[in-house]
Every structure is written in structure tokens, then in C-alpha cells.
Amino acid sequence: MTPWVLRIVLATIAVFFLQSNGPWVVEALAFDPHLVLVRPWTLVTYMFVHAPGFGHIFFNMLTLFFFGPRVEDRMGGRAFLGLYFTSGIAGALLSIPVGYPIIGASGAIFGVLLAYAWFWPRNQMLIWGIIPIEARYMVLLLTAASLFFGFGGMGGNVAHFAHLGGFLGGFLYLKVLQRNAGNVRFRRQMQPLAPKLETTAGALDRWRRIKRDGLHEVNRDELDRILDKISASGIASLTPGEREFLDRFSARH
């Protein structure tokens, strides 16, 4: 696991065991829309509280374990934390009209799922471990289900509006990051008398020096794929996203 995914999982497990000390723990940390102005910290703390039994926390942390590391590796730790907590807070805010207290990391994790589909929309996921579906269609399916059950009043104890809020918060956060990245690139292009541009050969040499052993397995595969593409079709064949991928990891070394 990547550093912040591991810390979030450990913190969530710690709070889960702390809940055994009595109901006061859940009462202090759960998000209650009626008390948000006097207990604003619960916009964050509710994400670390889960229902009794292992099902709720197990599936949330399992989803984070599978999808979080690749997203954190792609975005970097600071941006990943921003995504996680922005999505979770948005999930709480969108649940305010519902009026009942909510707990759980689902809103934050739905934001992570959205980011996964954002970066790798065609990657295959498995529903119930059996039915293959592309990540982008999985997000659409989950959104439709949350809308249907949320507005249809058939949600049971599931906070469907928190799920929708997680998607919305994650989407807005990623759009802001995308816009800021575009602004940075624009400013760089407009700088007069820019320093000597890096040659194509220099960029290729820098990319090839990326240390594969320090990358997540999925990112190692992506690195190999892009370098193979360069060997076959040249640097001009790279997409902006592929160049950004190589530049990000080469900057770490």
C-alpha cells in the first residue's frame, strides 16, 4: 500500500476498535446534519466511523486497498489526501437534506473510485468478482443506483446521497486540479526568454532513468508500455497524459 492509503486504513481500524468503548464514540464522531454548526469536525470524523460488525468497514477498506494505491501513486500524496477528504466532506454536505446522521468512508471512497475511472476509464473492473465492466461504466452504474435508491426512498441504512456527494466532490476536485495544471502549462509557454528547452534525446534519457523498482506494479507496467510505444513510434506519438506520466515520475529521481 502507498503511504497515505495505509495511514487512512490504520486510522479507520483504530477508530473501529475504539468504538467498542461505548456509544459515546460514535455520537461524538458521526455526522449529524442538525448539529453541523456546533460540531463541524464531524464533517471529517464521520469517515472513520463504521457500523457494528465487520461488513461495513471491511468492504470500504477493501475498496480503498484495491483502488487507492494506484490513485495516490498517480496523483501524489498531498493531492490524494485532498481528493479523499474533499469527496468525504462533499458526501456529508449532500446528505444534509436527508436529515439523519451518517457514518462511514463510502463518500470519500466513491471519490477515489471516480479518480480511478478518470485516469484509467477503460480499465476492467469486476462486479461481484465475476462480471467485467470498464471503470467509467462502473461509475455511471453506481451513480444511477445511488440516484435511484436515494430519491426512491429504498436506501435502507445506506447513505446514497453521501455516495453522490463523494462523486461530485471528487469530480470538482479533479476539475480544479486539471484547470490549475493547464494554467501552469500556459504560464510556462508564455514566459519570455525561457531557459534552454530540453532536447528530445534529453527527455528520453531522463525518462529511461526512472527507477522501476520504486514504482507500484501497475505503474511499472504503464512505464514499460509507454517506453515500448516510444521505441516503436517515436516520442511524437505520445499523448499529453503519457508525457505527464513520464515527467511526474522522472521528477522524483
Side-chain angles (χ1 to χ4, degrees), residues 35-98:
L35 302 175
V36 62
L37 295 180
V38 295
R39 298 169 57 187
W41 63 85
T42 58
L43 285 165
V44 173
T45 57
Y46 90 97
M47 305 177 210
F48 297 92
V49 183
H50 287 79
F54 288 100
H56 190 202
I57 188 173
F58 174 77
F59 286 108
N60 274 346
M61 293 302 99
L62 185 67
T63 303
L64 183 60
F65 171 80
F66 278 122
F67 299 101
R70 189 173 182 188
V71 173
E72 181 181 345
D73 220 10
R74 175 70 170 77
M75 299 181 68
R78 181 180 298 180
F80 176 79
L81 276 183
L83 169 75
Y84 190 86
F85 287 111
T86 298
S87 301
I89 292 170
L93 293 176
L94 204 63
S95 298
I96 288 178
V98 179

Side-chain angles (χ1 to χ4, degrees), residues 1-153:
M1 279 192 286
T2 46
W4 281 110
V5 169
L6 177 60
R7 290 170 185 145
I8 290 170
V9 169
L10 292 177
T12 304
I13 292 173
V15 172
F16 181 74
F17 284 108
L18 184 63
Q19 291 174 222
S20 62
N21 290 329
W24 63 270
V25 177
V26 176
E27 293 171 2
L29 301 180
F31 175 73
D32 187 336
H34 301 101
L35 302 175
V36 62
L37 295 180
V38 295
R39 298 169 57 187
W41 63 85
T42 58
L43 285 165
V44 173
T45 57
Y46 90 97
M47 305 177 210
F48 297 92
V49 183
H50 287 79
F54 288 100
H56 190 202
I57 188 173
F58 174 77
F59 286 108
N60 274 346
M61 293 302 99
L62 185 67
T63 303
L64 183 60
F65 171 80
F66 278 122
F67 299 101
R70 189 173 182 188
V71 173
E72 181 181 345
D73 220 10
R74 175 70 170 77
M75 299 181 68
R78 181 180 298 180
F80 176 79
L81 276 183
L83 169 75
Y84 190 86
F85 287 111
T86 298
S87 301
I89 292 170
L93 293 176
L94 204 63
S95 298
I96 288 178
V98 179
Y100 56 76
I102 62 170
I103 57 175
S106 299
I109 289 172
F110 269 52
V112 173
L113 285 174
L114 178 72
Y116 187 92
W118 178 286
F119 294 121
W120 304 282
R122 297 184 181 276
N123 271 28
Q124 292 285 327
M125 307 170 72
L126 295 177
I127 300 177
W128 300 306
I130 302 173
I131 305 172
I133 184 174
E134 290 185 1
R136 54 182 175 167
Y137 296 133
M138 173 67 88
V139 168
L140 291 175
L141 180 63
L142 290 172
T143 301
S146 294
L147 286 169
F148 177 77
F149 289 113
F151 285 104

